[in-house]
Amino acid sequence: MENERASGPGIKNVIRRKAVSASQEGWVKAEPLLPEGASPLLLRPNVEGVDLVAWAGRNQDFIRQNLFARGAILFRGFDGGSMPRFEELIKTTSGDLMEYHDRATPRSQVSGKVYSSTDYPPEHHIELHNESSYAFTWPRRIFFYCALVAREGGETPIADCRRVLARIDPAIRERFIEKKIRYVRNFGEVFGMSWQTVFQTDDIDVALEYCRQNHIEVEQRGDGRLRTRQVRGAVATHPETRETVWFNQATSFHLSTLEPAVREALLEQVKEEDVPKNAYYGDGSPIEDSILDALREAYREESIVFPWQAGDVLMLDNILMAHGRRPYVGPRKVVAGMAGPANWETV
């Protein structure tokens, strides 16, 4: 792929520390990250001192077109990696950052609307999923910034959901398209997140109103307990490319995603219908184990895994690309930011 270049007025803002002529080409090199040419596209500076935020602002069309084509762009080796610069990059390319509402996993606020990636213990595997696809509103884009690389593991696998959909047996696809997916959550039981954390309020009336506005059915069960049900699609049509993709969190929500020992300990404490979260067909019937195995295999077949480097920024089209997390050893710091709100009425 040809190297991308910036030009035009205000060019001095693109280069820091080192004077480079506006006519000089090849400031940023674009190439596939992997030898076989699969996603993501790798962008690296070819000269010293390229300001990524300024460069990205001047090359919006290039970024947008490649994001639609590949679903993922990895920015590597640029100067000035920091939390504020990470936020600026998101705002420059994708608009204002989104708050993390209707939370499904524990996350810590790092800075502004930048959050830690899921705060699960390092030995836990996080299955591939499209961010917040269980919710009514979700981000069009999600960004990850690697501040500290784990000693071992800790990769963020990704998968092209166009290819995942193509791998799923047509009969299974049609069943999910027809029935959709029901996400069931229980709050106030022995395990899991509280509704106060999930809905970011201590006022039950505010939480109930949020559910009403976001098409979430709520059952108040006494003693501060809530059960919610929300039915969402299993596939989505990308608003720009018009491609149909596998877009949901059926496998990551399902009880079977838990490690066997954790699942057994949980079911000793509560009934299956009372577990913190689970996924069913949209009519409430259980999803067969064989179907879940087939879905996970489709994700595995399409998984793309690469090692993080400190300062890396990974930009994903959240409709086109699923992401997860591999277990790791040693300290690790990867943070996330989201932008471009969309909802199920637009896809």
Side-chain angles (χ1 to χ4, degrees):
M1 185 173 293
E2 293 181 353
N3 294 344
E4 178 63 3
R5 60 183 179 182
S7 61
I11 207 68
K12 63 182 180 180
N13 294 322
V14 182
I15 299 293
R16 306 167 96 188
R17 299 203 325 255
K18 183 175 180 179
V20 177
S21 167
S23 64
Q24 184 169 343
E25 299 183 5
W27 292 354
V28 173
K29 183 178 183 181
E31 60 187 344
L33 175 66
L34 304 176
E36 56 269 29
S39 296
L41 179 69
L42 174 63
L43 297 181
R44 294 183 295 176
N46 253 351
V47 295
E48 183 183 359
V50 177
D51 183 326
L52 175 57
V53 175
W55 181 89
R58 302 194 60 80
N59 289 273
Q60 297 271 20
D61 287 344
F62 174 80
I63 291 173
R64 182 172 176 271
Q65 290 166 12
N66 279 280
L67 195 63
F68 289 162
R70 293 176 172 271
I73 296 175
L74 180 65
F75 301 95
R76 172 169 286 172
F78 289 88
D79 287 346
S82 66
M83 213 64 64
R85 298 295 286 167
F86 177 59
E87 293 185 67
E88 287 179 37
L89 177 65
I90 298 174
K91 291 179 182 178
T92 298
T93 60
S94 307
D96 291 339
L97 281 73
M98 294 174 59
E99 293 184 8
Y100 185 32
H101 287 302
D102 194 358
R103 302 184 177 197
T105 57
R107 288 186 177 180
S108 305
Q109 187 174 8
V110 177
S111 171
K113 296 177 184 177
V114 172
Y115 302 89
S116 62
S117 55
T118 302
D119 294 333
Y120 280 161
E123 65 272 17
H124 285 207
H125 169 85
I126 298 176
E127 297 210 25
L128 287 157
H129 61 282
N130 302 90
E131 188 66 35
S132 297
S133 52
Y134 61 87
F136 179 67
T137 300
W138 29 265
R140 289 280 304 278
R141 295 178 180 179
I142 183 167
F143 294 72
F144 297 95
Y145 168 59
C146 180
L148 179 63
V149 181
R151 187 165 71 250
E152 295 179 18
E155 300 92 348
T156 299
I158 58 177
D160 189 319
C161 294
R162 294 165 288 198
R163 297 174 63 90
V164 171
L165 180 68
R167 282 193 176 272
I168 298 172
D169 183 279
I172 296 176
R173 292 201 307 256
E174 290 306 313
R175 185 181 307 177
F176 276 100
I177 290 172
E178 176 187 353
K179 291 190 171 187
K180 301 184 178 181
I181 299 167
R182 176 178 294 193
Y183 301 97
V184 179
R185 306 182 70 181
N186 288 286
F187 308 107
E189 302 290 350
V190 178
F191 300 99
M193 300 168 67
S194 68
W195 61 262
Q196 291 90 340
T197 297
V198 168
F199 299 115
Q200 292 291 284
T201 180
D202 291 325
D203 188 329
I204 186 62
D205 290 331
V206 173
L208 295 176
E209 178 61 18
Y210 178 91
C211 291
R212 188 190 67 78
Q213 293 182 4
N214 287 274
H215 308 278
I216 301 172
E217 178 186 341
V218 185
E219 177 185 344
Q220 294 184 262
R221 307 179 64 212
D223 298 325
R225 297 181 300 155
L226 296 180
R227 176 177 290 161
T228 64
R229 303 177 183 89
Q230 50 209 91
V231 177
R232 312 297 186 201
V235 302
T237 300
H238 195 284
E240 279 82 21
T241 71
R242 306 311 301 168
E243 295 165 293
T244 302
V245 304
W246 186 249
F247 182 77
N248 61 75
Q249 291 183 230
T251 53
S252 63
F253 251 72
H254 196 269
L255 179 61
S256 62
T257 193
L258 297 176
E259 297 291 337
V262 176
R263 185 166 65 248
E264 290 172 11
L266 176 62
L267 292 175
E268 288 177 358
Q269 300 289 326
V270 298
K271 298 177 182 179
E272 183 169 335
E273 59 265 30
D274 293 328
V275 299
K277 62 181 182 180
N278 209 346
Y280 304 83
Y281 289 116
D283 59 9
S285 58
I287 303 173
E288 302 88 341
D289 290 344
S290 60
I291 301 298
L292 291 162
D293 289 342
L295 298 180
R296 291 189 175 103
E297 181 61 23
Y299 280 124
R300 280 193 292 269
E301 291 289 338
E302 293 301 330
S303 289
I304 299 167
V305 183
F306 61 91
W308 281 113
Q309 292 184 16
D312 280 354
V313 174
L314 178 63
M315 178 184 188
L316 300 180
D317 183 309
N318 185 45
I319 303 175
L320 299 179
M321 300 296 288
H323 67 276
R325 190 199 74 185
R326 288 193 165 184
Y328 63 94
V329 176
R332 174 186 186 267
K333 187 174 184 180
V334 176
V335 301
M338 302 170 285
N343 62 59
W344 278 102
E345 291 181 345
T346 64
V347 296

